[in-house]
PDB file of all heavy atoms in Angstrom:
ATOM      1  N   SER Y   2       7.016  15.959 -37.937  1.00 76.00           N
ATOM      2  CA  SER Y   2       8.302  15.780 -37.265  1.00 76.00           C
ATOM      3  C   SER Y   2       8.185  16.392 -35.870  1.00 76.00           C
ATOM      4  O   SER Y   2       7.951  17.592 -35.734  1.00 76.00           O
ATOM      5  CB  SER Y   2       9.429  16.396 -38.068  1.00 76.00           C
ATOM      6  OG  SER Y   2       9.626  17.738 -37.739  1.00 76.00           O
ATOM      7  N   PHE Y   8      12.926  14.983 -19.853  1.00 98.00           N
ATOM      8  CA  PHE Y   8      13.479  15.661 -18.657  1.00 98.00           C
ATOM      9  C   PHE Y   8      13.132  14.896 -17.383  1.00 98.00           C
ATOM     10  O   PHE Y   8      12.158  14.157 -17.341  1.00 98.00           O
ATOM     11  CB  PHE Y   8      12.990  17.110 -18.593  1.00 98.00           C
ATOM     12  CG  PHE Y   8      11.491  17.286 -18.680  1.00 98.00           C
ATOM     13  CD1 PHE Y   8      10.703  17.214 -17.549  1.00 98.00           C
ATOM     14  CD2 PHE Y   8      10.867  17.514 -19.912  1.00 98.00           C
ATOM     15  CE1 PHE Y   8       9.329  17.379 -17.601  1.00 98.00           C
ATOM     16  CE2 PHE Y   8       9.480  17.672 -19.991  1.00 98.00           C
ATOM     17  CZ  PHE Y   8       8.710  17.591 -18.845  1.00 98.00           C
ATOM     18  N   ILE Y  17       8.714  12.321 -21.049  1.00 98.00           N
ATOM     19  CA  ILE Y  17       8.984  12.661 -22.449  1.00 98.00           C
ATOM     20  C   ILE Y  17       7.776  13.471 -22.933  1.00 98.00           C
ATOM     21  O   ILE Y  17       6.636  13.025 -22.856  1.00 98.00           O
ATOM     22  CB  ILE Y  17       9.239  11.403 -23.325  1.00 98.00           C
ATOM     23  CG1 ILE Y  17       9.473  11.827 -24.783  1.00 98.00           C
ATOM     24  CG2 ILE Y  17       8.150  10.361 -23.251  1.00 98.00           C
ATOM     25  CD1 ILE Y  17      10.114  10.743 -25.655  1.00 98.00           C
ATOM     26  N   SER Y  26      -3.050  13.333 -32.578  1.00 91.00           N
ATOM     27  CA  SER Y  26      -1.933  12.545 -33.081  1.00 91.00           C
ATOM     28  C   SER Y  26      -0.805  12.463 -32.056  1.00 91.00           C
ATOM     29  O   SER Y  26      -0.150  11.397 -31.913  1.00 91.00           O
ATOM     30  CB  SER Y  26      -1.450  13.058 -34.441  1.00 91.00           C
ATOM     31  OG  SER Y  26      -0.915  14.356 -34.261  1.00 91.00           O
ATOM     32  N   LEU Y  47       8.344   1.126 -12.843  1.00 98.00           N
ATOM     33  CA  LEU Y  47       7.254   0.853 -11.907  1.00 98.00           C
ATOM     34  C   LEU Y  47       5.893   1.257 -12.441  1.00 98.00           C
ATOM     35  O   LEU Y  47       4.880   0.623 -12.173  1.00 98.00           O
ATOM     36  CB  LEU Y  47       7.474   1.585 -10.574  1.00 98.00           C
ATOM     37  CG  LEU Y  47       8.730   1.229  -9.790  1.00 98.00           C
ATOM     38  CD1 LEU Y  47       8.793   2.075  -8.518  1.00 98.00           C
ATOM     39  CD2 LEU Y  47       8.739  -0.260  -9.428  1.00 98.00           C
ATOM     40  N   HIS Y  71      27.680   2.254 -17.406  1.00 86.00           N
ATOM     41  CA  HIS Y  71      28.557   3.377 -17.121  1.00 86.00           C
ATOM     42  C   HIS Y  71      27.909   4.733 -17.348  1.00 86.00           C
ATOM     43  O   HIS Y  71      28.601   5.737 -17.446  1.00 86.00           O
ATOM     44  CB  HIS Y  71      29.843   3.263 -17.974  1.00 86.00           C
ATOM     45  CG  HIS Y  71      30.620   2.027 -17.631  1.00 86.00           C
ATOM     46  ND1 HIS Y  71      31.237   1.837 -16.432  1.00 86.00           N
ATOM     47  CD2 HIS Y  71      30.834   0.887 -18.365  1.00 86.00           C
ATOM     48  CE1 HIS Y  71      31.837   0.653 -16.405  1.00 86.00           C
ATOM     49  NE2 HIS Y  71      31.585   0.057 -17.575  1.00 86.00           N
ATOM     50  N   ASN Y  93       0.652   6.121 -35.916  1.00 64.00           N
ATOM     51  CA  ASN Y  93      -0.667   5.678 -36.435  1.00 64.00           C
ATOM     52  C   ASN Y  93      -1.085   4.304 -35.942  1.00 64.00           C
ATOM     53  O   ASN Y  93      -2.099   3.811 -36.367  1.00 64.00           O
ATOM     54  CB  ASN Y  93      -0.613   5.692 -37.963  1.00 64.00           C
ATOM     55  CG  ASN Y  93      -0.369   7.099 -38.480  1.00 64.00           C
ATOM     56  OD1 ASN Y  93      -0.924   8.048 -37.943  1.00 64.00           O
ATOM     57  ND2 ASN Y  93       0.464   7.219 -39.476  1.00 64.00           N
ATOM     58  N   CYS Y 106     -28.099  12.902 -17.960  1.00 98.00           N
ATOM     59  CA  CYS Y 106     -29.274  13.727 -17.718  1.00 98.00           C
ATOM     60  C   CYS Y 106     -28.804  15.178 -17.589  1.00 98.00           C
ATOM     61  O   CYS Y 106     -28.017  15.500 -16.730  1.00 98.00           O
ATOM     62  CB  CYS Y 106     -29.990  13.286 -16.453  1.00 98.00           C
ATOM     63  SG  CYS Y 106     -31.416  14.330 -16.132  1.00 98.00           S
ATOM     64  N   GLY Y 109     -32.317  19.933 -14.462  1.00 96.00           N
ATOM     65  CA  GLY Y 109     -32.520  20.251 -13.065  1.00 96.00           C
ATOM     66  C   GLY Y 109     -31.261  20.181 -12.222  1.00 96.00           C
ATOM     67  O   GLY Y 109     -30.212  20.691 -12.593  1.00 96.00           O
ATOM     68  N   VAL Y 126     -30.379  26.349 -23.807  1.00 97.00           N
ATOM     69  CA  VAL Y 126     -29.897  25.145 -23.113  1.00 97.00           C
ATOM     70  C   VAL Y 126     -29.885  23.939 -24.050  1.00 97.00           C
ATOM     71  O   VAL Y 126     -28.924  23.153 -24.066  1.00 97.00           O
ATOM     72  CB  VAL Y 126     -30.766  24.885 -21.850  1.00 97.00           C
ATOM     73  CG1 VAL Y 126     -30.551  23.489 -21.330  1.00 97.00           C
ATOM     74  CG2 VAL Y 126     -30.443  25.915 -20.750  1.00 97.00           C
ATOM     75  N   PRO Y 167     -13.260  25.803  -6.193  1.00 83.00           N
ATOM     76  CA  PRO Y 167     -13.870  24.476  -6.337  1.00 83.00           C
ATOM     77  C   PRO Y 167     -15.038  24.293  -5.383  1.00 83.00           C
ATOM     78  O   PRO Y 167     -15.032  24.837  -4.288  1.00 83.00           O
ATOM     79  CB  PRO Y 167     -12.726  23.514  -5.969  1.00 83.00           C
ATOM     80  CG  PRO Y 167     -11.491  24.341  -5.947  1.00 83.00           C
ATOM     81  CD  PRO Y 167     -11.902  25.747  -5.680  1.00 83.00           C
ATOM     82  N   THR Y 199     -24.208  11.431 -15.266  1.00 98.00           N
ATOM     83  CA  THR Y 199     -24.464  10.106 -15.824  1.00 98.00           C
ATOM     84  C   THR Y 199     -24.711   9.094 -14.674  1.00 98.00           C
ATOM     85  O   THR Y 199     -24.068   9.191 -13.634  1.00 98.00           O
ATOM     86  CB  THR Y 199     -23.281   9.617 -16.697  1.00 98.00           C
ATOM     87  OG1 THR Y 199     -23.573   8.291 -17.151  1.00 98.00           O
ATOM     88  CG2 THR Y 199     -21.965   9.594 -15.945  1.00 98.00           C
ATOM     89  N   ASP Y 205     -15.238   1.456  -9.980  1.00 95.00           N
ATOM     90  CA  ASP Y 205     -15.728   0.469  -9.028  1.00 95.00           C
ATOM     91  C   ASP Y 205     -14.497  -0.284  -8.555  1.00 95.00           C
ATOM     92  O   ASP Y 205     -13.969  -1.131  -9.264  1.00 95.00           O
ATOM     93  CB  ASP Y 205     -16.728  -0.461  -9.732  1.00 95.00           C
ATOM     94  CG  ASP Y 205     -17.216  -1.559  -8.799  1.00 95.00           C
ATOM     95  OD1 ASP Y 205     -16.790  -1.608  -7.618  1.00 95.00           O
ATOM     96  OD2 ASP Y 205     -18.031  -2.388  -9.243  1.00 95.00           O
TER      97      ASP Y 205
END
Side-chain angles (χ1 to χ4, degrees):
Chain Y
S2 90
F8 53 86
I17 178 164
S26 64
L47 299 179
H71 298 292
N93 298 320
C106 179
V126 164
T199 177
D205 177 0

